Amino acid sequence: MIRVHIFCEGQTEDVFVREVLGPHFQRLNIWLNPIIIRTGPQGKGGVSSYGKIKWQVENKCKEDASAWVTTLLDFYGLPTDFPAMKAPGDSITRAKAVEEAFQNDIAQPNFLANVVVHEFEGLLFSAPDAFSDWFDEPGVVAELTQIRRGFDSPEHINEGRETAPSKRILAVCDTYDKVAHGSLIALDIGLDAIRQECPLFDAWVERIEALGARGGA
């Protein structure tokens, strides 16, 4: 069995890995182990500095060299000391540059860098209809669908303080709670639909799938 450790920002991503990604990869004989990054006060999850993330990722790569290590980090809100954060271009181009620089800086043979463009909530725009089972507010699905139609893909919904995916969801539905709703809505949407709508996310899933053919790290 191939083992893959996935460093996550918090509880929502942890559940997403276990409940949405896990069953898919189990069928491929790939076991996923989500690890919540501990960088905040009192050891809470969160991304406070690149140095703290790098230390945890490198240690895991070295202590379990027979497994793979990857990340599920939001590009939106990454610490400013992340490699290549000042790269030129639009936000997707910059996110790709950050991911490449992250890969090169860790420089471990069993590491696969990954950032979510632009954040976890962007994946939920893959199927706005899924919100209907969780919120009774009139117009929620229609407004989220209208937002989605304004972009080439959910991954193009941008990184502004008021226009990032989570901010747009909260503007439409102020009772949305990431921990309470995020992974459940993603589960309702389903991995196949998310992959179809989010090509950068899909490319990361494909990289993990390909590990099955390569064997251990």
Side-chain angles (χ1 to χ4, degrees), residues 132-171:
S132 64
D133 290 336
W134 299 96
F135 302 99
D136 296 329
E137 294 92 332
V140 166
V141 170
E143 291 187 55
L144 294 177
T145 299
Q146 184 177 8
I147 293 170
R148 166 64 187 91
R149 288 173 178 169
F151 295 88
D152 291 341
S153 79
E155 293 174 321
H156 284 81
I157 299 175
N158 60 31
E159 58 171 331
R161 288 183 178 272
E162 302 301 325
T163 58
S166 62
K167 306 302 184 183
R168 292 178 185 269
I169 292 173
L170 286 168

Side-chain angles (χ1 to χ4, degrees), residues 40-63:
Q42 289 80 49
K44 294 181 180 179
V47 182
S48 62
S49 74
Y50 176 65
K52 293 179 180 180
I53 295 171
K54 178 179 179 179
W55 181 83
Q56 292 176 75
V57 169
E58 283 186 334
N59 277 359
K60 179 57 69 175
C61 287
K62 293 174 182 178
E63 76 177 22

Side-chain angles (χ1 to χ4, degrees), residues 3 9 17 21 37 50 56 61 66 111 123 131 144 162 176 183 188 201 208 214:
R3 293 178 296 111
E9 288 198 34
V17 171
L21 295 177
I37 293 171
Y50 176 65
Q56 292 176 75
C61 287
S66 64
F111 178 61
L123 304 179
F131 282 78
L144 294 177
E162 302 301 325
Y176 170 79
S183 57
D188 285 348
F201 173 82
I208 300 176
R214 297 174 59 178

